[in-house]
Structure formats: C-alpha cells, structure tokens
Amino acid sequence: MQAVAVFPSQKKLELVDVPQPELQGPNDVLLRVREVGLCGTDREISSFEYGSPPPGSDHLILGHESLAEAIEVGRAVRSLKPGDLAVAMVRRPCPHAECRPCRAGRSDFCVTGDFTERGIKGADGFLTDYVVDDESFLVKVPRALADVAVLVEPLTVVTKAVDQASAIFSRLPYDTGPQRGLALGAGPIGLLAAMVLVADGFDTVVYSRDAEDSKQADLVRSLGAHYASSTTHTLESLAQASGKFDVILEAVGFAPLMMGATQMLKRNGVLALTGVPPEAATAELNTGRALRNLVLRNEVVFGTVNAGRRDYLSAIQNLEQFLVLFPDSVRRLITHRGRLDEVPQMLTHKQGIKNVVEMSRAA
Ligand SMILES: [Zn+2]
Ligand SMILES: [Zn+2]
C-alpha cells in the first residue's frame, strides 16, 4: 500500500510503498483510513523543521488528523467493532514509571518529553491506506459525523483549552454568566474556537489578518459572531470599539499578537495560547504594565498543547452541536479534498481553510 513519508536526512517528501500492517495483540484494531487533515504542523515537518522517524527508520509517514474505519478487531477489543468510525489520538505515553500524567492516561501533560506522536515524533502517521492501533488510543465517532469528523483532532486543541479555562474560572466566587470571547486567528483552529465560543453562548469576536470580505470573515459572520480584520483594526482600536474580553483563545503563533493579547483581557480574564511562534521571534511589550495587569487584575495566561481522551469526547459532542447550530458553516471549514498523490502539492500550495486528503470512501 502507498503512504506519504518524509525522509529528514535526505530532505525529501515522497510517496512510498509500505507493507500492510496486521493485528499484533488482542487490543489491536486494523483500520482503513478514510480521511486525513493537513495542517501547519505537516507543512513544518515536510519542510524538515521538525518531525522524527520511528526508531531504526529513515522515514516518517505523515498525517496526524485522522478519520478511519475499523476493519478487524483483536479478541479483547470492546469499544469498537468492524464498520465503526474512529479517530486516533496523536500522542502516546512515555515509558517512564515516574511520569504520573502518562501513567494516568494523560500523556498530553507528559513531564519527561519522551512521548511519541503519530505522524510527528517517533511514530508513523495516518497518510496511508491501513493502520493498526491499540484500542486505548482510538475514539469512536458517530456515523452522523462522518463528513466532518476529520476535524475532531484539530478541535481537541480548542476543547482542551476551553476545559482548562473553565477550571480556572471555577475559582471565581460568582457565576460568570454570559461572557465575551475573542478568537485570535481565522485558520481552522481559530474558526473552530469561534464555533465553540458561540455554541457556549459567548458574545464572540474573531480577529485575524484576513480581509473583511474574505471567506473566513463570511464564515465567522455566518455563526452570528463578529469579525475584525487586522488590516483595518489594531488590537487597541478593537478594544476601544468593542470592549475587552473574559476569554481569549489564541491560534496564530505570531509573537507580537500573543503578547498584545494580554492587554485585551477583562479583570479576572483568561488567555489561552495555542499557537507556536518561531523560537527567534521577539515582541515589544510594556512589560511593567503587562505584569502589573496580571497581578492587579487577577489575569491568567496559559499555554496548551495536545489533548487527552476527554478532550476528544468533548470535540465529538461539540461537532454534533455545530451540525445542529450551523451545519453549513462547519462543513465550509473543509475547503479542499485531494488524493494521496496530491499531498506534496497540497502542502506547498495551501488553498482555502482546511485541506483534507481523501483516502477511501466506505460503502
Ligand atoms: Zn494538525
Ligand atoms: Zn510521560
């Protein structure tokens, strides 16, 4: 069967032939991959910025945003049967006994850094026809979500951030009531963040560099949210025009915007950072004012990466809710579906919002 793999030492990305995997243990599931979403992480790996092959291999099969169909299950598998749809979790626990998060099934909080990630770090991904995975890393998806379930994995970035923000809000001695939310960025994560905020009842603004008449801005308005373009508004003018925010979900990875966002919080507000800026990025900021605000206004700024099973389950619930609230908008996030042999082209020439590779269609 075919797969798309990067060869980091030779700096090449190509279609390769690999043997079809088979069930090894009683908890294994053989899956036929249906769809794989592409994102900035795949673009960075395919430009050799990071990503590492499995031990002993010279190549890494790409793809971490999966949707697959169970074909055959090991004798101990209980949660999936042939024909079921599933999304695979990306990160796998480190081997160290002392890593309490990994031992508790929350490798997204791994403290050693020796975790693996399918399609990213030390383990092959899903841009191929068949994969085998342990049941404990698979999350069943309802059939009704088939055409959008490839968005589950990117949505877990948002559901994990929201889960943590809720934990932080629970410290407050009052019901926070209807709140104001800001999503920074109008890529797939920013738009999914806007959908979660709207679905949760937030008065929602999305701020991004896309123009006011862009596809992205239209999609934001179709949710009942407001769109502000950085081509016409600075962050400060946005705060003056529309007020500050209780919750900010950042999904840009542009350091000056990430730092500037700390000035957009209301008292007791929470800023979740999910973008990953280049290490050399710098940003100018009045640090005295920023730190004073953090203290004197009870603000919380936190970073979040990866997700645990509960975040996948929340993402599935959210997608079900989106299909009731704004079904067309959620489907419009996927702007291009291509074939496996188009992946190199799709990685270098991104078009629209979310690009998805169509591997197989089930009956
Ligand atoms: Zn991704
Ligand atoms: Zn660990």
PDB file of all heavy atoms in Angstrom, residues 25 169 250 253:
ATOM      1  N   GLY A  25      -1.633  -7.657  18.761  1.00  0.00           N
ATOM      2  CA  GLY A  25      -2.079  -8.059  20.095  1.00  0.00           C
ATOM      3  C   GLY A  25      -3.598  -8.082  20.192  1.00  0.00           C
ATOM      4  O   GLY A  25      -4.288  -7.643  19.276  1.00  0.00           O
ATOM      5  N   PHE A 169     -11.817  29.464  35.631  1.00  0.00           N
ATOM      6  CA  PHE A 169     -12.977  30.288  36.013  1.00  0.00           C
ATOM      7  C   PHE A 169     -13.671  29.753  37.264  1.00  0.00           C
ATOM      8  O   PHE A 169     -14.305  30.510  37.991  1.00  0.00           O
ATOM      9  CB  PHE A 169     -13.980  30.381  34.860  1.00  0.00           C
ATOM     10  CG  PHE A 169     -13.608  31.407  33.842  1.00  0.00           C
ATOM     11  CD1 PHE A 169     -13.376  31.060  32.528  1.00  0.00           C
ATOM     12  CD2 PHE A 169     -13.467  32.743  34.214  1.00  0.00           C
ATOM     13  CE1 PHE A 169     -13.013  32.020  31.592  1.00  0.00           C
ATOM     14  CE2 PHE A 169     -13.099  33.711  33.290  1.00  0.00           C
ATOM     15  CZ  PHE A 169     -12.867  33.346  31.973  1.00  0.00           C
ATOM     16  N   GLU A 250      -6.133  32.006  21.564  1.00  0.00           N
ATOM     17  CA  GLU A 250      -5.179  32.440  20.537  1.00  0.00           C
ATOM     18  C   GLU A 250      -4.775  31.258  19.672  1.00  0.00           C
ATOM     19  O   GLU A 250      -4.429  30.192  20.189  1.00  0.00           O
ATOM     20  CB  GLU A 250      -3.948  33.058  21.226  1.00  0.00           C
ATOM     21  CG  GLU A 250      -2.848  33.505  20.279  1.00  0.00           C
ATOM     22  CD  GLU A 250      -1.893  32.407  19.857  1.00  0.00           C
ATOM     23  OE1 GLU A 250      -1.748  31.416  20.602  1.00  0.00           O
ATOM     24  OE2 GLU A 250      -1.309  32.514  18.761  1.00  0.00           O
ATOM     25  N   GLY A 253       0.146  32.085  16.603  1.00  0.00           N
ATOM     26  CA  GLY A 253       1.575  31.795  16.701  1.00  0.00           C
ATOM     27  C   GLY A 253       2.450  32.964  16.295  1.00  0.00           C
ATOM     28  O   GLY A 253       3.625  32.783  15.993  1.00  0.00           O
TER      29      GLY A 253
END
